[in-house]
Amino acid sequence: MDMVIYENVVACGVTVVGLFASGEWKELGREMGGYELGTASYLMTLIWVAVFWQMYALGAMGLIFEVSALFSNSISVVGLPIVPVAAVFCFRDRMSGVKGVSMALAVWGFVSYMYQCYLDDRNSKVVTKSVDETSPRMSS
């Protein structure tokens, strides 16, 4: 938990310093006013994106500590196709060829990971069975 908090505090600090150092903070009002869906929608989008990124960071860190980094990465890859589909439905975003290819690659990567887990599990059962059959039994 501390690792996630420290990482996010540093990232937030660097972002705020960059925002003010570049002078882009002066443009935020104009950007917010020019948002197609309105100012309230702009603020809600920013707030909910921040909340969900925090939930993602905590969940990914929990998966790393409880299962493995590879499994955490695989779960993250499964979530990749969900975001463009949600954007199409929620924000009426256009589905482009690049989005389609990235979604297909993400699904392919996850399916490959699951198939490799299946093969590893099957091979370990075969090895365990052959070891059990070849080991002498001790009678009491």
Side-chain angles (χ1 to χ4, degrees):
M1 183 80 161
D2 287 343
M3 187 172 166
V4 172
I5 291 172
Y6 296 141
E7 177 184 350
N8 288 325
V9 166
V10 169
C12 183
V14 168
T15 303
V16 169
V17 167
L19 181 70
F20 285 106
S22 69
E24 286 188 37
W25 64 274
K26 297 172 188 172
E27 302 294 322
L28 286 179
R30 189 170 56 89
E31 182 179 323
M32 196 180 327
Y35 190 64
E36 192 175 297
L37 300 176
T39 303
S41 189
Y42 181 85
L43 289 173
M44 290 301 289
T45 301
L46 288 181
I47 290 168
W48 285 110
V49 164
V51 167
F52 284 119
W53 268 111
Q54 295 304 313
M55 289 171 50
Y56 163 78
L58 285 172
M61 195 61 59
L63 282 174
I64 289 170
F65 286 125
E66 293 297 323
V67 183
S68 73
L70 180 62
F71 183 71
S72 175
N73 191 29
S74 297
I75 294 300
S76 298
V77 167
V78 157
L80 286 177
I82 295 171
V83 174
V85 170
V88 168
F89 289 114
C90 295
F91 299 115
R92 296 180 202 98
D93 197 14
R94 291 177 26 109
M95 180 61 98
S96 66
V98 173
K99 286 181 189 174
V101 170
S102 68
M103 287 171 45
L105 288 173
V107 170
W108 181 23
F110 182 73
V111 169
S112 297
Y113 170 75
M114 294 306 292
Y115 183 66
Q116 186 61 47
C117 286
Y118 165 75
L119 290 177
D120 291 345
D121 186 52
R122 189 179 71 179
N123 289 341
S124 70
K125 287 179 182 176
V126 169
V127 169
T128 303
K129 185 177 180 182
S130 67
V131 168
D132 287 343
E133 290 174 353
T134 59
S135 63
R137 302 232 182 241
M138 298 182 71
S139 57
S140 43

